[in-house]
Amino acid sequence: MNKSIGIDIVEFVEIRERLSDKFIKRILGPNELIRYNKITNQDSKVAFLAGRFAAKEAYTKVYKHFDEPLNFVDVEILNDEYGAPYIVSKYHPEDDVKVSISHSRNYAVSICSID
């Protein structure tokens, strides 16, 4: 794999408009869903979901093409003991894809890269 980078930005209002159990279960993997369900503040839930959505979109831009249809629940954005995000994916489990997520009042942005 050559060096590659992907970036995505998501508006919180877009997530609020699409927010439903069906949408959440289409975006979040099992471990992400556990963390999401522990969040009690609705704005924090939207920010979490927007950040994960942006990270997964950025991840798809790193690879540009997958041999099988990509399912977002098979790409999980987890956090290490320091809170830093990392990716666990069934599509390229051997790759060390770097990921960063940031939030503002109205947006979540994420960038992914691979060396």
Side-chain angles (χ1 to χ4, degrees):
M1 178 81 203
N2 293 330
K3 291 183 178 185
S4 188
I5 192 167
I7 188 168
D8 196 67
I9 186 168
V10 175
E11 291 181 81
F12 291 170
V13 68
E14 177 186 348
I15 297 299
R16 282 188 186 94
E17 289 171 356
R18 299 171 78 178
L19 198 58
S20 68
D21 286 341
K22 182 179 178 181
F23 179 72
I24 293 164
K25 289 177 182 172
R26 205 178 89 229
I27 303 304
L28 300 179
N31 295 303
E32 294 168 310
L33 199 51
I34 290 168
R35 183 161 177 212
Y36 175 83
N37 287 328
K38 290 180 181 177
I39 301 170
T40 58
N41 178 283
Q42 189 62 29
D43 289 340
S44 296
K45 283 186 164 207
V46 168
F48 179 86
L49 190 57
R52 272 24 190 201
F53 188 86
K56 292 175 187 200
E57 285 289 333
Y59 175 83
T60 66
K61 293 172 184 176
V62 166
Y63 291 101
K64 297 166 187 59
H65 172 77
F66 294 88
D67 293 335
E68 58 185 286
L70 183 95
N71 187 342
F72 273 2
V73 300
D74 294 326
V75 178
E76 288 196 290
I77 315 302
L78 306 176
N79 296 86
D80 68 16
E81 65 272 16
Y82 303 106
Y86 66 94
I87 293 178
V88 176
S89 170
K90 82 168 202 171
Y91 299 98
H92 294 278
E94 70 285 351
D95 291 350
D96 182 24
V97 180
K98 306 296 187 219
V99 61
S100 183
I101 303 170
S102 188
H103 303 85
S104 71
R105 184 179 307 192
N106 298 307
Y107 298 92
V109 64
S110 183
I111 189 166
C112 290
S113 67
I114 190 167
D115 292 328

